[in-house]
Amino acid sequence: MTDTEHPSRVGKAVVPAAGLGTRFLPATKATPKEMLPIVDKPAIQYVVEEAVDAGLDDVLMVTGRSKRSIEDHFDRAYELEEALRAKSDTQRLYSVRESSELAQVHYVRQGEPRGLGHAVLCASAHVGDEPFAVLLGDDLIGRNEALLRRMIQVRETYGGSVVALMEVEPDHVSLYGCAAIEPTDEDDVVTVTDLVEKPAVDQAPSRWAVIGRYICDPAVFDVLRETPPGRGGEIQLTDALLQLAQRKPADGGPVHGVLFRGQRYDTGNKIDYLRTVVEFACERQDLAAEFLPWLRDFVDRHPAAGDDA
Ligand code: G1P
């Protein structure tokens, strides 16, 4: 197939950011979990940077209550900028302005938290009749990975929708949407034949987990309007994509998967969040020289629980 067979370009990214963030209470009582810092940048900024790196500079945030700080973060902060300019602190001035100049950021409110599928449906008026990307903020993808760009390419070649798949340990499949897959002629591309949201380990169709990056055909909106609440009583994007996986191209199908073996950081729970912060700090030129020796020493002084010191 050639690009011209599926001409409509992916130009918009949708970032659901309406979750209650209960795993991080009380930090998330008045602050959205997307604004929790990974070192010194809120998690959601890495996500917007990834979208922009893949050529998507129209970003729609689907927000809920107490999300004002997200809007403020991607807006200008004139007083702060003025104060930094007066001190000739150009480096910090740049870091403050950077987030407001990254992308065209738009917002829509998800009135009630009815699940990821419902959050995506809230984007329908803004997205219109075009394929679009969905990026979940709990997953951060390494800056040197070209995952999203590859997914857009796969959409251009095959049409339909595309999910990112990563192989996980069997006891982790119940945390993810899980896919049954069949190979294509391309090593890193598969056809998705089944999708189950958070299956029990003995019911999982494979160990290939859907990580938080999607390219959706606009047909997903009509399917989501008809999708009943599924796992957890929520409208699941996974359930809508299963419908599309069973359709012909003329009806918005099929669904392909890009097999991803690169670097992904989970920030969705406390332990993985802590790992992510430490990993990012160790990769930072301005911090690693001081932080890494301290970390080594700290670990030496704190043998793991159960270890004989
Ligand atoms: C969501 C999706 C799930 C997907 C996961 C990736 O779940 O429903 O299919 O595998 O994101 O992070 P959540 O983690 O929001 O519960």
Side-chain angles (χ1 to χ4, degrees), residues 53 141-147 263:
D53 285 350
I141 303 296
R143 188 100 208 224
N144 298 324
E145 310 289 350
L147 174 63
Q263 238 176 345

Side-chain angles (χ1 to χ4, degrees), residues 32 34 44 50-51 62 73 78 88 94-95 110 117 123 129 148 162 172 178 193 203 223-224 242 245 272 290 300:
E34 294 78 8
I44 199 161
E50 183 191 335
V62 184
H73 184 73
Y78 290 103
S88 301
Y94 172 77
S95 77
Q110 182 185 17
D129 194 25
L148 202 55
V162 185
H172 284 177
C178 189
T193 55
Q203 274 153 31
V223 176
L224 282 168
L242 173 59
D272 287 327
E290 199 176 331
D300 287 346

Side-chain angles (χ1 to χ4, degrees), residues 44-297:
I44 199 161
Q45 187 173 335
Y46 293 97
V47 174
V48 173
E49 286 172 357
E50 183 191 335
V52 171
D53 285 350
L56 313 178
D57 57 7
D58 180 307
V59 178
L60 177 72
M61 308 260 179
V62 184
T63 63
R65 54 176 269 289
S66 55
K67 301 293 176 171
R68 275 285 299 276
S69 59
I70 298 181
E71 300 185 7
D72 287 345
H73 184 73
F74 291 101
D75 199 355
R76 296 290 298 273
Y78 290 103
E79 270 182 44
L80 183 56
E81 288 176 27
E82 209 34 67
L84 293 168
R85 199 172 292 116
K87 287 199 274 180
S88 301
D89 191 342
T90 43
Q91 204 181 337
R92 291 203 177 90
L93 179 61
Y94 172 77
S95 77
V96 162
R97 290 199 60 163
E98 199 187 11
S99 55
S100 65
E101 288 168 355
L102 264 177
Q104 292 282 333
V105 185
H106 307 268
Y107 301 89
V108 62
R109 296 274 292 210
Q110 182 185 17
E112 328 155 57
R114 290 173 60 198
L116 177 58
H118 181 253
V120 170
L121 184 52
C122 292
S124 67
H126 180 81
V127 168
D129 194 25
E130 299 169 17
F132 61 101
V134 177
L135 291 85
L136 306 188
D138 284 352
D139 287 311
L140 300 185
I141 303 296
R143 188 100 208 224
N144 298 324
E145 310 289 350
L147 174 63
L148 202 55
R149 224 171 248 284
R150 177 67 180 136
M151 293 173 75
I152 292 170
Q153 244 174 27
V154 169
R155 152 74 201 192
E156 283 167 356
T157 308
Y158 298 87
S161 299
V162 185
V163 294
L165 297 172
M166 214 166 170
E167 205 165 18
V168 299
E169 294 301 322
D171 56 339
H172 284 177
V173 285
S174 62
L175 301 171
Y176 297 96
C178 189
I181 57 176
E182 281 173 7
T184 68
D185 291 342
E186 295 186 88
D187 280 352
D188 64 332
V189 182
V190 292
T191 306
V192 172
T193 55
D194 193 12
L195 278 169
V196 188
E197 179 67 8
K198 305 203 171 104
V201 63
D202 55 346
Q203 274 153 31
S206 76
R207 285 167 51 188
W208 288 99
V210 176
I211 57 169
R213 299 293 179 273
Y214 308 79
I215 306 296
C216 293
D217 187 273
V220 77
F221 293 129
D222 278 343
V223 176
L224 282 168
R225 283 187 192 97
E226 306 291 321
T227 301
R231 179 115 198 147
E234 297 188 333
I235 297 172
Q236 298 292 351
L237 182 58
T238 304
D239 295 344
L241 287 170
L242 173 59
Q243 296 297 313
L244 293 179
Q246 293 162 346
R247 290 191 181 181
K248 298 268 176 283
D251 294 323
V255 176
H256 284 88
V258 168
L259 305 182
F260 181 61
R261 296 185 173 89
Q263 238 176 345
R264 161 182 172 256
Y265 305 88
D266 190 348
T267 65
N269 62 67
K270 280 178 228 177
I271 295 291
D272 287 327
Y273 173 78
L274 290 171
R275 284 190 189 121
T276 304
V277 172
V278 170
E279 283 199 45
F280 273 52
C282 291
E283 280 160 20
R284 281 268 297 258
Q285 276 182 3
D286 58 334
L287 300 175
E290 199 176 331
F291 183 63
L292 257 172
W294 172 84
L295 185 61
R296 272 197 201 99
D297 184 51

